[in-house]
Structure formats: C-alpha cells, structure tokens
Amino acid sequence: MTSAPTTITSVAAAANHLASRRSPLRWVLLAVGLLAALSLPWLVYPPLAMDIAAWALFAIALDLLLGFTGLLSFGHAAFWGGSAYVTGLVAINVGVPFPVAILVGALFAMLLAVPIGFLSVRSSGIYFAMVTLAFAQMLYFFANQWRDVTGGENGLQGIPRNFFGIELIETDPFYFYYAGLPIVLLGMWAAWRIIHSPFGKVLVAIRDNPARASALGYDVQRYKVMAFVMSAGLAGTAGGLFSISHGFASLQELNWTTSGKVVLITVLGGIGTLWGGTIGAALVVMLEDWLATSGFEGIGIITGTVFVIVVLAFRRGIWGTVRDLKARFRSRT
C-alpha cells in the first residue's frame, strides 16, 4: 500500500506537469516581467530601481512564509537588517566582491533563523507574530549597543561595491543595478522553485489544515522551521543587496517599522501570489520617494491611507484580484 506522503508527492508532481502544459500566457507574463526589470533603471532613478528590486525580493521572502505556510512574521527585519550589517562588515573588512559578501549575509540570516524558528513555531497566529517581533527587537537593541562594530546610531558607513575590480559597476548606480539584478532574479527563481516542489505542496497543506497534514505523517513543526529558514535566507539576500546599494547599514533596517513595511507591501500585492510582492514594492517605494521629494510630511499616514483604500478595493491584493478575475474568465469561456 502506498504511503500518504508518497501519494501526495505523486499528486504534486502530476499537478506540476499539468501546470507546465497551460496556455502560453504565463510565458508572456514572464517576458513582460523580465522586460520591466531590465528597463526599470531607464524609467526611474537607478538607486530607486534597486530599492524596488530589493524590496520585491524581501516581500516574496515574506510571502513564502505568510502566503504559503500561514505564518505572519513581524520580525523579518532581523534577517533583512542582520544580513545588511554582516554583508557590510564582510565587504569592508575582507574586501571580497559584493555577491560573496551578500552570500555570507544570507547564510548568517539563515543561521539566525534556526533558533528563532524553533522557538517561534511552537506558537501560532498573533502569538507567533509577537514572538518574532520580540526577537527582532532584541537584535535591534544588540546592534545599538555594540557600537564598536555596528556604529550604533550612526550605522555602518562606507560599505564598498567591490565587483572583481570593475570600476564602472563599483561607481555607477546604473551599471550596479544590472550587476545586482541577477541576484534578485535568482532569489525569485528559488522562491518559485520551492513553492512548485513537493515540499511547497506540503507547506500549503500545513497552511490549510495542519492537523490533517500531521495525521498524514508530516512533521508540521519541522516543515515550518524549514520554511522559516528559507524565507530568512531570501530576506537576508535582499537586505545585503540593499546595504551594498546604499553603501551603509543603519538601525532602521532592524526596526519594527521595516517588518511592518514588508507586510504592507505583501498584502498590497496579494498574499499567496508570490509575484504580487513586486507590484506592491514598486507602488510603495515609488510613492514614498515621490512624497519625500515633494516635501510631504507624515509619509506613513499617506501610505497607510493608500493601503486601506487598496485593501478595500482589492480584497485579495492587486495581483490576487487580477488572478481571480482571470480564473473567472477562464471558467466562463
């Protein structure tokens, strides 16, 4: 008799095979997305384009945990900001090319997520969110007190963009964007591969009904910890790239408002859509930049108002609403 996990794995493989035979619309959308990513620094200021890309990857990392595992984390700033500091320290003190420094920062984020995940997944719902927030604030306090290493309130400044001695990439934000974009695309591909693997199907099953998944023989807590660590690694990759792009890492990257901002971006784009984070990141980052350059005060109030309006108009987020409309159109035709 075939075991339940093996059966679910076979069903997941069959579902992936059928998904690959769908209409070419997904390939059209993929081509449009790649074209938009390549043309972004021509449309907006290149550092702003890199901010959008980094926050998009950050939102996708959170959606891997929130949308597909059902865990709302208010402490992902710990991995974004922790990796930002470690990436900066490695780039400054070792002088390696920035992709290597970002890799070290991402590994640090994953190691940091192991104990936090083991302690956090024992709770659920709002309690899980509060536990992750508490750990993130602990790291914020630690970074603020360890001034000799982190710079305290002044932050870690002078982070170089070493890239195998290619001066054009190290000094020009326009060319740096195209050097950093493959890292973002690789992270997005990794998230897509996780979701569409048998492991991702188990995460969705745990999100929908953890008791039933446990009855089928899956170690629910172990899967949650693994998803938590993978999400932290992608968040750390985004945070390291963000610090390299700006040339500094500050306490703001570890603050609870950073965790709140990525939750806002994810909800705007659409929870459980994976790619909705790119739309939410573009909307929020460009809105904040426009408000800041226009001299507006109270940016948080305005972005919060936009968030409420979008959530009321698009109950499933922007991309989630588009996806639902597409599904309804298919069912009618």
Side-chain angles (χ1 to χ4, degrees):
M1 182 177 179
T2 305
S3 62
T6 303
T7 303
I8 291 182
T9 301
S10 301
V11 172
N16 287 336
H17 176 68
L18 291 175
S20 64
R21 299 181 60 184
R22 290 179 183 174
S23 65
L25 178 60
R26 62 168 52 197
W27 299 107
V28 174
L29 293 176
L30 178 61
V32 171
L34 289 175
L35 180 61
L38 292 173
S39 61
L40 192 58
W42 296 85
L43 303 175
V44 299
Y45 192 50
L48 182 63
M50 181 53 70
D51 284 357
I52 294 174
W55 279 100
L57 181 58
F58 192 15
I60 289 174
L62 180 67
D63 198 29
L64 178 65
L65 191 65
L66 174 60
F68 295 93
T69 315
L71 298 174
L72 172 59
S73 171
F74 270 117
H76 257 47
F79 312 122
W80 163 276
S83 175
Y85 273 101
V86 172
T87 299
L89 289 171
V90 171
I92 292 173
N93 298 318
V94 183
V96 296
F98 75 81
V100 179
I102 291 173
L103 177 61
V104 175
L107 292 176
F108 169 80
M110 296 178 73
L111 291 174
L112 181 64
V114 172
I116 296 178
F118 269 114
L119 296 174
S120 300
V121 299
R122 299 177 184 273
S123 55
S124 59
I126 190 63
Y127 303 103
F128 175 85
M130 291 299 101
V131 171
T132 55
L133 175 61
F135 278 112
Q137 289 303 105
M138 288 174 58
L139 190 63
Y140 175 90
F141 176 79
F142 181 77
N144 189 27
Q145 295 299 315
W146 202 7
R147 294 181 175 85
D148 293 338
V149 176
T150 64
E153 295 180 353
N154 295 324
L156 187 66
Q157 303 180 19
I159 299 176
R161 298 176 181 172
N162 297 330
F163 192 73
F164 307 103
I166 303 178
E167 185 177 355
L168 195 61
I169 293 177
E170 296 173 358
T171 58
D172 194 328
F174 180 84
Y175 294 100
F176 172 76
Y177 173 85
Y178 289 104
L181 182 62
I183 298 176
V184 176
L185 296 179
L186 182 62
M188 291 179 175
W189 175 85
W192 179 88
R193 190 68 188 88
I194 292 170
I195 294 305
H196 291 84
S197 68
F199 175 81
K201 305 302 180 183
V202 176
L203 294 183
V204 174
I206 292 173
R207 178 199 66 187
D208 294 339
N209 196 326
R212 180 174 295 179
S214 179
L216 289 174
Y218 294 103
D219 189 339
V220 172
Q221 287 197 359
R222 183 168 66 91
Y223 272 91
K224 286 183 177 180
V225 171
M226 292 172 65
F228 193 83
V229 172
M230 292 177 183
S231 176
L234 293 176
T237 302
L241 184 61
F242 184 85
S243 67
I244 292 291
S245 174
H246 286 261
F248 69 89
S250 66
L251 291 175
Q252 178 64 31
E253 316 313 326
L254 291 168
N255 199 8
W256 66 269
T257 55
T258 299
S259 297
K261 181 177 177 179
V262 72
V263 172
L264 165 67
I265 290 173
T266 306
V267 173
L268 281 178
I271 297 174
T273 62
L274 200 64
W275 308 123
T278 58
I279 299 175
L283 177 64
V284 172
V285 173
M286 292 182 66
L287 178 61
E288 288 184 343
D289 178 74
W290 179 76
L291 292 173
T293 55
S294 300
F296 281 96
E297 296 183 0
I299 295 177
I301 297 176
I302 299 176
T303 54
T305 303
V306 172
F307 169 73
V308 172
I309 294 174
V310 172
V311 169
L312 291 176
F314 307 98
R315 297 292 297 274
R316 297 181 180 273
I318 297 174
W319 186 249
T321 302
V322 172
R323 187 180 62 178
D324 288 349
L325 292 175
K326 184 178 70 172
R328 291 178 185 177
F329 177 77
R330 280 183 177 179
S331 64
R332 291 179 180 179
T333 56

